[in-house]
Amino acid sequence: MKYRFAVMDDESGLTVGFCRDVVGLTGDIMVETYEKVMFEQFVFNEEFIRNIAKTKQSISNLYIAILDDEEKVIGSYYFHLPESYIIHKQNYNKQNFHLELTGMFETKPSSVELRLWEFLKGTQPHENNIWHTFSKEERSGWLNVTRIYSASNHFARPDKRGEVYTLEGENISDFTTFFIALGEAINGPGGYFGFSLDSISDCLYGGFGALGPFTIDWKNAHYFLERFEEEWDQEKRCYEFSSQQYFMDLLTILVSGDVTVNFSSN
């Protein structure tokens, strides 16, 4: 039986157990002031049981991890328990039971995000540009999914220098699609290289697949320049600066990170 999710203990780093499904993962089931999650067909991990038999018999905070088709962790969401969950000995050998916990998510995934994780679960890489046909909500969800995916699979990624990365401007209509396209250009399908000004600045320090000097060849950038103000207004950004200022700040950060940005039109 394949498991789709894992529960991981924050303190020990061990996997508590596995389950087939998680009900309430979007934080939509409330018990008073807390969010309730239900782990269906849950089974304890034997290594964790051996560990707590020697050390402790409870968990306080955990990660709800998403597994790929090979049952490897590809992303996770932090879940805080207001009271420790005590694991009684009579539960050790339970198989496929229904585990319920209440607590608070640090960041709740949207239903859109949960659907989009399916694209990253396969053992074979998915195709480039699958996000082009996504709705605006799906694109925002996809950017967050790739961010979490990168954080969960960030194992000393080597940084390339001197590369040229091409962005196809027809597909870039706002800053969300810019960051999606840049992440994919640098790190391939499902790739990530920032989601905001602060995060792209962090990426340029290294460890995210590219380090300056490198070049971004932004083809047909006029598509973006014609549309980004309208998109910015529709998003009703709560910033003290304009879309033009955001764009100039983005270019400044890139240049300061030894990145050359070329604009071209076909």
Side-chain angles (χ1 to χ4, degrees), residues 107-253:
T107 303
K108 290 181 285 191
S110 67
S111 56
V112 168
E113 285 182 33
L114 294 182
R115 291 199 306 270
L116 294 175
W117 277 110
E118 297 299 322
F119 287 100
L120 297 173
K121 284 190 173 184
T123 55
Q124 298 298 321
H126 60 72
E127 298 178 357
N128 282 311
N129 307 322
I130 62 169
W131 51 272
H132 291 171
T133 60
F134 289 176
S135 67
K136 183 176 294 186
E137 184 183 7
E138 287 173 329
R139 288 174 175 177
S140 295
W142 181 248
L143 183 56
N144 198 40
V145 163
T146 59
R147 177 186 65 82
I148 296 171
Y149 179 77
S150 173
S152 296
N153 298 271
H154 199 138
F155 302 116
R157 185 176 298 136
D159 291 315
K160 294 169 286 186
R161 294 176 181 263
E163 300 288 324
V164 177
Y165 302 107
T166 300
L167 303 183
E168 299 295 340
E170 305 97 296
N171 303 312
I172 301 174
S173 60
D174 56 14
F175 292 106
T176 296
T177 46
F178 166 79
F179 285 114
I180 293 174
L182 181 63
E184 188 167 88
I186 293 176
N187 290 308
Y192 169 82
F193 200 82
F195 71 96
S196 65
L197 297 183
D198 288 340
S199 62
I200 197 171
S201 182
D202 290 340
C203 290
L204 289 168
Y205 281 106
F208 289 87
L211 193 61
F214 65 85
T215 299
I216 297 174
D217 187 5
W218 193 338
K219 296 183 179 294
N220 297 313
H222 63 277
Y223 285 102
F224 170 79
L225 296 174
E226 291 168 358
R227 293 181 291 189
F228 80 111
E229 288 188 43
E230 179 183 354
E231 295 288 342
W232 183 276
D233 292 338
Q234 289 178 359
E235 291 288 338
K236 298 180 180 178
R237 305 270 183 173
C238 298
Y239 297 131
E240 296 179 356
F241 45 84
S242 65
S243 55
Q244 295 93 334
Q245 185 62 54
Y246 190 97
F247 181 63
M248 294 306 300
D249 288 348
L250 173 62
L251 293 181
T252 299
I253 290 170

Side-chain angles (χ1 to χ4, degrees), residues 42-61:
F42 182 84
V43 58
F44 279 109
N45 178 30
E46 292 183 3
E47 181 184 2
F48 180 78
I49 293 301
R50 288 195 298 268
N51 178 268
I52 65 170
K54 300 176 182 177
T55 57
K56 62 172 186 173
Q57 295 180 334
S58 65
I59 52 176
S60 298
N61 299 296

Side-chain angles (χ1 to χ4, degrees), residues 22-25 35-39 64 79 99-101 105:
V22 180
V23 178
L25 188 51
E35 292 142 350
K36 180 179 179 180
V37 289
M38 295 170 283
F39 304 94
I64 301 175
F79 193 65
L99 175 63
E100 297 185 2
L101 296 175
F105 283 102

Side-chain angles (χ1 to χ4, degrees), residues 15-31:
T15 299
V16 179
F18 304 91
C19 65
R20 295 293 301 277
D21 202 4
V22 180
V23 178
L25 188 51
T26 56
D28 55 332
I29 303 176
M30 300 297 297
V31 177

